[in-house]
Amino acid sequence: MPAKQELSDIAFSFSHSVAFDQLRDRVKSYRELKTGPDKNSIGENLAGGIYEAFAYYFLRFGPLNNLPTNEIFLTPQETLTYYHDYLYPNVEIHDHAFTSTLESVSVPDGLLLEISDDGESSLPIVVYEYTRNIKISNYTHKYNWFLRNRQNHPHILGQSRLCFVVPKMSKDTKRNLNDILNIEEIDFFEIPVSAGELNNIKMMIEK
């Protein structure tokens, strides 16, 4: 395992977490089930699964560590369940190697819920998208789905904002994303981790 100085504090902490161990176990199980050329075809799915787990871990034990008692931060799986139960109850869930999805629906990666005073409802106030993709079409696609979901379910998503959680971005990347960055109802949160560190974590999990 790399020495601590090769990873930032938060990346090092993640590499010793339960989430890290769970990803490693899933890689092992995936390889045991696959045969032939598919056995090691984890690639991008694993990279996406790592970033999803890492982004949640960072937010949960960082900025969202001390939430008010009337707020709840959902895991990616809990977010999928929320969307299925309250927005798309008739849409089938598909399980993949490192994630689950709703058929033909773009589901966000996290939700920050606000519980009503009477405890009868829990509504999203922030919709989180964890993404490493720097193409503006990726952000536009996710933003359009956010708008569609909010328009179709205003009683649930009417008061929510969209937040993209991304790795450290270069000045050139920010310049290319300028049109998205300037949309008032979108927030960007940069995680202090580089693509190189994420790749190091991926190699550690694949061992």
Side-chain angles (χ1 to χ4, degrees):
M1 185 169 290
K4 181 173 181 178
Q5 58 266 27
E6 295 179 15
L7 298 172
S8 63
D9 287 344
I10 186 64
F12 181 81
S13 176
F14 175 74
S15 72
H16 288 72
S17 69
V18 172
F20 178 90
D21 291 337
Q22 289 173 337
L23 281 170
R24 176 173 278 173
D25 289 343
R26 289 170 76 179
V27 169
K28 182 179 178 181
S29 298
Y30 179 84
R31 284 181 171 155
E32 289 175 349
L33 290 172
K34 293 292 182 178
T35 58
D38 289 336
K39 187 172 183 179
N40 294 310
S41 62
I42 299 175
E44 190 64 21
N45 285 334
L46 175 57
I50 289 172
Y51 186 67
E52 180 182 87
F54 182 82
Y56 171 79
Y57 181 87
F58 178 82
L59 293 174
R60 172 64 181 82
F61 297 101
L64 302 182
N65 188 36
N66 294 304
L67 291 173
T69 56
N70 68 328
E71 293 182 4
I72 302 174
F73 179 46
L74 301 188
T75 67
Q77 185 59 48
E78 290 169 340
T79 298
L80 178 82
T81 299
Y82 186 97
Y83 262 56
H84 180 262
D85 291 349
Y86 296 107
L87 278 72
Y88 297 100
N90 298 318
V91 176
E92 187 176 353
I93 295 177
H94 292 282
D95 293 320
H96 305 284
F98 300 100
T99 187
S100 299
T101 60
L102 293 183
E103 184 175 6
S104 302
V105 175
S106 180
V107 178
D109 300 302
L111 293 173
L112 181 62
L113 304 181
E114 185 176 61
I115 304 170
S116 62
D117 291 340
D118 59 11
E120 293 296 318
S121 64
S122 300
L123 300 179
I125 52 177
V126 183
V127 174
Y128 289 98
E129 291 281 4
Y130 310 147
T131 182
R132 302 167 299 116
N133 191 326
I134 62 174
K135 294 181 180 179
I136 192 167
S137 58
N138 171 61
Y139 297 93
T140 302
H141 172 76
K142 292 179 182 297
Y143 178 51
N144 287 337
W145 263 104
F146 168 75
L147 293 178
R148 182 189 306 181
N149 286 328
R150 193 171 64 178
Q151 181 178 0
N152 291 340
H153 307 276
H155 56 297
I156 296 176
L157 295 168
Q159 301 303 313
S160 62
R161 294 178 57 82
L162 177 61
C163 180
F164 287 106
V165 181
V166 299
K168 286 185 286 191
M169 294 192 296
S170 67
K171 290 182 179 179
D172 287 342
T173 297
K174 290 181 179 179
R175 192 178 301 113
N176 292 336
L177 297 176
N178 189 59
D179 289 344
I180 292 292
L181 289 168
N182 288 330
I183 295 177
E184 186 175 342
E185 61 188 343
I186 293 180
D187 297 318
F188 269 78
F189 190 93
E190 288 186 69
I191 295 179
V193 64
S194 66
E197 286 181 288
L198 291 171
N199 189 56
N200 285 343
I201 292 173
K202 179 174 179 287
M203 290 189 292
M204 291 161 62
I205 288 175
E206 288 180 310
K207 287 182 179 179

